[in-house]
Amino acid sequence: MAGPLTVPWMPPHDPGTPALSVVDMHTGGEPLRIVLAGCPEVVGPTLLAKRRYMRQHLDHVRRRLMFEPRGHRDMYGAVLVPSELPDAHLGVLFLNNEGYSSMCGHAVLALGRFALDFGLVPAPPSDAQEALVNIHCPCGLVAAFVECEGGRSRGPVRFHSVPAFVLATDLLVDVPGHGKVVVDVAYGGAFYAFVSAEKLGLDVCSAKTRDLVAAASAVTEAVKAQFKINHPDSEDLAFLYGTILTDGKDTYNEEPTTNICVFADEQVDRSPTGSGVTARIALQYHKGLLELNQTRAFKSSATGSVFTGKAVREAKCGDFKAVIVEVSGQAHYTAIGESSCCSTSSSVFGVLTLLTVLQHFLPPNSLKKELISKTNAAAAAAASLQLCPTLFDPIDGSPPGSPIPGTLQSLPASGQYKGTKIQASYLNLGQL
């Protein structure tokens, strides 16, 4: 049997666009792409200033790693930066399909393991069973505790959150298509609206993902339009990140409670959402449904993965009564590699063309006609931006669409395309 493949050289690439070294991980099924090396310097005296700088000057790095052809619509990322806090081992900026989030629990769980294994923290004693990793997130300092053996991580990680609090309960909002809906808004490093899916006529455990996404997005937009989000520490943190639909089982129970988080630009979290679990624990504690150190299990309706969480102590955030929440999960490595840009490709910075079309999840009876129309429009837009034409070429032998510039005249009943996968026929997309 052949030995391991070694590649001592880089494939043809654009020397003017530095390669990015990345490590890919996942926690509860939710991906994390960590930039290990190659990112230009992120300038700023504070982490929040660095976040603003990256948004304004280095957004091409986010698009290159998150979007097609290197990423996908639901990819998530992290750029490591120095922290101004003396107790922090590292600082991090979180990347998603829309921009830059203030907190990400699944990423913190993965980064704790990564930091220990890649030597970003002092090596623990050889007999230590847990290592502390202080991670400075945009929302504040988060302590991660990494299970270890012989100085290396084993997988399970837990973290202690920033102070988590409830901003509003029983907030009545007018949601288009659903009428008046009562929601709660809570903070776990990021702000979320919480509502039982049942109030929107859905079962979070069995409804099609496209229907849950549509309902959650409608709630998010309604809350943004009708309620002002504020944070006592910084305006940079004062935004609604998304909506979490739950099974309504907020009263303490040893059985897992299920939810799904739709955040950023209709991005679906495969995990139970670490910052969402944090906020939901704070909400349950605020309502008297949970006591300190009562552990609850939270299940993702997207993948079935489970995080556990508990309120470990009371705290304050400005004038808000808050709690510090412990969230536990399992992180896994998936890949390590170099992200380069071919000198003959014009898709240097990443695109969301065909996949952006599919995000709309059109009704079955109109899908084929409208999908072709939207794909044509996307092709024209891509052509005007000189993006990579092969995004629309099939890779499973199905009849190809016209290259950019041009139009797509027909769609196969199913097929995998560069950039996305049509999982069922155009007459029934199934549960995406």
Side-chain angles (χ1 to χ4, degrees), residues 147-179:
E147 283 194 22
C148 60
E149 184 176 0
R152 299 296 298 273
S153 71
R154 298 180 59 243
V157 184
R158 60 190 177 94
F159 70 79
H160 284 182
S161 72
V162 297
F165 61 90
V166 175
L167 184 62
T169 57
D170 300 326
L171 179 68
L172 188 64
V173 292
D174 190 0
V175 181
H178 299 279

Side-chain angles (χ1 to χ4, degrees), residues 1-6:
M1 185 172 66
L5 175 66
T6 59

Side-chain angles (χ1 to χ4, degrees), residues 27-30 76 103-109 159 188 190-192 194 241-245 257-263 267-281 298-303 305-309 325 327-328:
T27 312
E30 179 68 0
Y76 204 92
M103 173 58 184
C104 179
H106 95 272
V108 164
L109 294 170
F159 70 79
F191 284 102
Y192 296 96
F194 290 87
Y241 191 33
T243 291
I244 295 179
L245 304 181
T257 175
T258 301
N259 55 229
I260 188 170
C261 176
V262 181
F263 65 98
Q267 192 162 341
V268 178
D269 197 333
R270 273 75 167 155
S271 79
T273 309
S275 56
V277 166
T278 301
R280 199 171 170 202
I281 287 281
F298 297 82
K299 182 178 179 180
S300 164
S301 77
T303 62
S305 60
V306 175
F307 289 170
T308 60
V325 176
V327 177
S328 301

Side-chain angles (χ1 to χ4, degrees), residues 29-348:
E30 179 68 0
L32 180 68
R33 176 162 291 165
I34 304 166
V35 180
L36 185 62
C39 182
E41 181 184 5
V42 184
V43 178
T46 67
L47 192 70
L48 286 175
K50 289 180 172 70
R51 181 170 172 259
R52 290 190 292 270
Y53 180 90
M54 185 149 190
R55 180 191 292 120
Q56 295 168 6
H57 302 285
L58 298 175
D59 195 54
H60 60 274
V61 174
R62 178 188 67 87
R63 289 181 282 129
R64 174 176 161 186
L65 292 175
M66 297 299 99
F67 293 172
E68 301 172 52
R70 299 167 190 86
H72 54 82
R73 177 167 187 79
D74 294 316
M75 179 57 79
Y76 204 92
V79 172
L80 306 184
V81 296
S83 167
E84 73 274 14
L85 301 182
D87 293 335
H89 293 115
L90 66 147
V92 61
L93 302 177
F94 299 119
L95 321 177
N96 56 51
N97 71 2
E98 183 180 56
Y100 304 84
S101 54
S102 55
M103 173 58 184
C104 179
H106 95 272
V108 164
L109 294 170
L111 285 169
R113 185 174 189 187
F114 168 85
L116 176 62
D117 292 337
F118 280 74
L120 302 185
V121 297
S126 59
D127 60 346
Q129 296 183 345
E130 197 169 61
L132 171 65
V133 181
N134 286 325
I135 302 173
H136 186 188
C137 305
C139 63
L141 191 64
V142 177
F145 304 89
V146 184
E147 283 194 22
C148 60
E149 184 176 0
R152 299 296 298 273
S153 71
R154 298 180 59 243
V157 184
R158 60 190 177 94
F159 70 79
H160 284 182
S161 72
V162 297
F165 61 90
V166 175
L167 184 62
T169 57
D170 300 326
L171 179 68
L172 188 64
V173 292
D174 190 0
V175 181
H178 299 279
K180 302 290 185 180
V181 179
V182 176
V183 305
D184 300 318
V185 179
Y187 177 81
F191 284 102
Y192 296 96
F194 290 87
V195 61
S196 169
E198 186 178 9
K199 294 181 180 179
L200 303 170
L202 297 169
D203 183 339
V204 74
C205 298
S206 62
K208 294 182 184 299
T209 303
R210 64 171 181 258
D211 296 332
L212 295 171
V213 169
S217 299
V219 171
T220 297
E221 294 307 311
V223 174
K224 285 181 178 180
Q226 300 168 44
F227 181 70
K228 179 174 175 54
I229 301 291
N230 63 82
H231 191 283
D233 292 340
S234 174
E235 277 300 307
D236 285 282
L237 306 176
F239 63 96
L240 188 69
Y241 191 33
T243 291
I244 295 179
L245 304 181
T246 77
D247 58 8
K249 298 176 181 178
D250 291 324
T251 303
Y252 176 74
N253 194 297
E254 293 184 356
E255 293 298 316
T257 175
T258 301
N259 55 229
I260 188 170
C261 176
V262 181
F263 65 98
D265 183 10
E266 297 190 342
Q267 192 162 341
V268 178
D269 197 333
R270 273 75 167 155
S271 79
T273 309
S275 56
V277 166
T278 301
R280 199 171 170 202
I281 287 281
L283 182 61
Q284 292 175 359
Y285 184 79
H286 176 85
K287 291 184 174 183
L289 303 175
L290 195 65
E291 298 179 0
L292 288 179
N293 293 307
Q294 275 190 322
T295 300
R296 289 215 68 182
F298 297 82
K299 182 178 179 180
S300 164
S301 77
T303 62
S305 60
V306 175
F307 289 170
T308 60
K310 62 182 178 181
V312 294
R313 65 180 183 273
E314 294 183 339
K316 293 279 287 185
C317 187
D319 294 330
F320 291 98
K321 293 181 179 180
V323 287
I324 303 299
V325 176
E326 179 179 291
V327 177
S328 301
Q330 180 97 11
H332 306 270
Y333 291 101
T334 57
I336 184 168
E338 298 274 335
S339 170
S340 64
C341 292
C342 181
S343 57
T344 59
S345 171
S346 55
S347 61
V348 173

